[in-house]
Amino acid sequence: MGVVTDIRGRGRSASLVRAQKCRRIGRSGAGNVSLFWRIFSLNAAGLIVAAALLLGPVTVSTPVQPAEALVVAAGLAVLLAANAVVLRVGLAPLQRLGRAMATADLLRPGARAVVAGPAETAELITTYNTMLDRLEAERAAGAARALSAQERERHRIARELHDEVGQTLTAVLLQLKRVADRAPEDLRPEVGQAQEATRAGLDEIRRIARRLRPGVLEELGLASALRSLATEFTTHGLAVRHRIPGDLPALPEEAELVVYRVAQEALTNTARHAGADRAEIRFRRIADGVELVVGDNGKGVGTAAEGAGIGGMRERALLIGADLAVRPGSEGRGTDVRLCIPAGGR
């Protein structure tokens, strides 16, 4: 639950800072003349000028003289143009707000609408930005709770597979060995096949348990866990290389788990959907932290919508303040999943 407490606290503090900033900006814009008074003042000025002209040098005869019609038409055109300009300027912040609302994505946080325009518009944009801060903080806290519960459930299932199913299959193997020793000669091949099938099932159970609970991550560290992951996925026509130096900076436990799970999910997507025969894990130090890249030479993501796997990776990246990008490969082919973790993690 350490992850939950950390993320929740940081999410709320970041939300509070942004909300206070938005309120300060909103208050600074509160002195602007409102859109209502802008339009009212412009219309009133136009009507006053028109009345003054009609009472003064301009008169309207019956029938209307061409010069008089020209003056009235020109005044009307000026008034309409001025109204159009005021409305265009006044409503531009609302249009920007609409675009920001249409493109808002809680999995890609940080984007905010610019607080500008008349007082009512500035207040509306400030309220929207504050609401977005709260939604992002609540989303991060909820994701932290969900992923923490998911990890606990993974550990429980892995332990039951290892302790219960694994021990049962081991007992079956021992019993089959005793049967094979006593079985007639013509039945021994069939008993041997049963032994091989049971042994293969036991190996598969152990492999699933290792993927559910990466013991090598806890025992040997992140670099060894990533190398082991590359070896594990080097099968069924997929060759996975790794470039992982030994002088990487230490990361918090939560960040190491996120890096491992992102690499695991990226390789799983490669094996299932990419149609690739080569993949690579690169983990290196960069100027402001560390970077994980999982690339392949498959068919790429194209225009397909992001699935649950990529969405899950984005959720995990948010927990440690990392940036995750899914892009075409560096050679224009395949896919690169890039995770950038700031120095110190979160």
Side-chain angles (χ1 to χ4, degrees):
M1 298 302 294
V3 179
V4 177
T5 303
D6 184 60
I7 296 304
R8 186 183 302 163
R10 290 181 179 271
R12 287 179 178 172
S13 62
S15 174
L16 182 60
V17 170
R18 287 195 294 263
Q20 291 173 344
K21 183 178 179 181
C22 286
R23 291 191 188 100
R24 288 196 298 269
I25 297 174
R27 284 196 294 270
S28 67
N32 294 340
V33 180
S34 69
L35 184 60
F36 169 80
W37 285 110
R38 288 186 183 187
I39 298 176
F40 177 81
S41 300
L42 179 64
N43 289 335
L47 292 174
I48 291 171
V49 170
L53 290 175
L54 290 175
L55 293 175
V58 177
T59 58
V60 179
S61 304
T62 304
V64 178
Q65 299 297 319
E68 297 171 344
L70 182 61
V71 170
V72 172
L76 179 61
V78 170
L79 184 61
L80 291 175
N83 270 281
V85 170
V86 170
L87 287 175
R88 176 69 66 184
V89 173
L91 295 179
L94 288 179
Q95 293 175 342
R96 291 196 295 269
L97 175 61
R99 289 193 294 269
M101 295 174 69
T103 58
D105 186 353
L106 295 182
L107 289 179
R108 296 176 175 85
R112 294 292 181 270
V114 178
V115 180
E120 298 95 333
T121 304
E123 184 65 24
L124 177 62
I125 297 174
T126 301
T127 302
Y128 168 73
N129 288 341
T130 303
M131 179 194 69
L132 205 56
D133 291 337
R134 186 172 62 252
L135 288 176
E136 288 181 359
E138 292 175 355
R139 175 66 179 266
R145 289 192 296 269
L147 292 175
S148 179
Q150 184 185 77
E151 288 299 328
R152 290 197 303 272
E153 187 67 10
R154 283 172 178 261
H155 284 196
R156 184 188 66 81
I157 295 173
R159 185 171 57 252
E160 291 185 358
L161 286 175
H162 183 273
D163 296 344
E164 302 296 334
V165 182
Q167 291 182 6
T168 299
L169 289 178
T170 301
V172 170
L173 269 178
L174 294 175
Q175 192 166 1
L176 285 173
K177 185 178 183 305
R178 288 195 295 270
V179 171
D181 293 339
R182 301 176 184 178
E185 190 67 29
D186 56 340
L187 292 179
R188 287 187 179 181
E190 297 181 12
V191 176
Q193 291 176 1
Q195 284 180 297
E196 290 301 320
T198 305
R199 189 174 291 108
L202 181 59
D203 291 341
E204 183 67 15
I205 289 294
R206 288 171 176 168
R207 186 185 67 82
I208 293 174
R210 283 195 303 270
R211 294 191 62 187
L212 288 173
R213 183 181 183 181
V216 65
L217 177 62
E218 300 173 359
E219 298 167 4
L220 301 178
L222 180 58
S224 297
L226 292 176
R227 296 186 187 102
S228 176
L229 197 63
T231 302
E232 178 184 340
F233 276 88
T234 301
T235 181
H236 304 301
L238 179 65
V240 183
R241 300 184 303 172
H242 58 78
R243 285 193 285 173
I244 305 169
D247 59 343
L248 293 170
L251 295 176
E253 181 180 344
E254 295 85 358
E256 288 190 347
L257 183 58
V258 168
V259 171
Y260 181 85
R261 291 300 188 197
V262 168
Q264 186 181 55
E265 183 63 35
L267 287 176
T268 299
N269 288 343
T270 296
R272 290 179 178 175
H273 310 298
D277 58 7
R278 294 194 312 276
E280 184 178 45
I281 299 177
R282 300 191 299 274
F283 194 46
R284 63 190 181 99
R285 187 194 301 263
I286 56 177
D288 55 348
V290 292
E291 179 186 63
L292 169 75
V293 179
V294 181
D296 62 60
N297 66 340
K299 59 186 179 182
V301 294
T303 58
E306 291 187 357
I310 296 178
M313 288 190 283
R314 293 194 185 281
E315 293 273 8
R316 291 184 180 277
L318 287 178
L319 295 182
I320 59 173
D323 294 325
L324 185 131
V326 181
R327 301 171 180 169
S330 56
E331 299 179 358
R333 182 185 176 192
T335 304
D336 279 355
V337 176
R338 191 177 303 270
L339 179 72
C340 296
I341 305 167
R346 177 185 287 182

